[in-house]
Amino acid sequence: MNDTTPIEDTRVTRRYFRKFDRITQHMARVAGAMAAEGALGKAEVTVLGRYIAGLTFTFRALSLKYL
């Protein structure tokens, strides 16, 4: 069973990775807003920031691989 689909149209590929870029940017904004409201502590913001950065860099690397 093959659970992958080749992406041959670069427009589709670019749109796919732009979506993830917007998602990670939104996650960072939400974390910032929650920190400003006092809902997240400094340690939590640090951890979330690292995870968000890791996701951002991973999807950027994948986009370079497939574009």
Side-chain angles (χ1 to χ4, degrees):
M1 178 178 177
N2 188 0
D3 63 348
T4 61
T5 303
I7 302 173
E8 298 175 7
D9 185 353
T10 58
R11 287 177 300 159
V12 172
T13 307
R14 289 179 196 279
R15 186 175 67 230
Y16 176 82
F17 287 109
R18 271 195 313 268
K19 284 181 186 181
F20 281 101
D21 188 48
R22 286 193 305 267
I23 289 167
T24 54
Q25 287 177 13
H26 182 71
M27 289 170 59
R29 285 192 302 271
V30 169
M34 290 180 72
E37 295 169 356
L40 294 176
K42 185 176 179 178
E44 294 165 316
V45 171
T46 300
V47 170
L48 281 173
R50 288 180 183 160
Y51 278 116
I52 292 168
L55 283 171
T56 300
F57 293 139
T58 298
F59 279 103
R60 259 189 221 152
L62 285 171
S63 73
L64 293 173
K65 176 180 178 182
Y66 290 108
L67 295 175

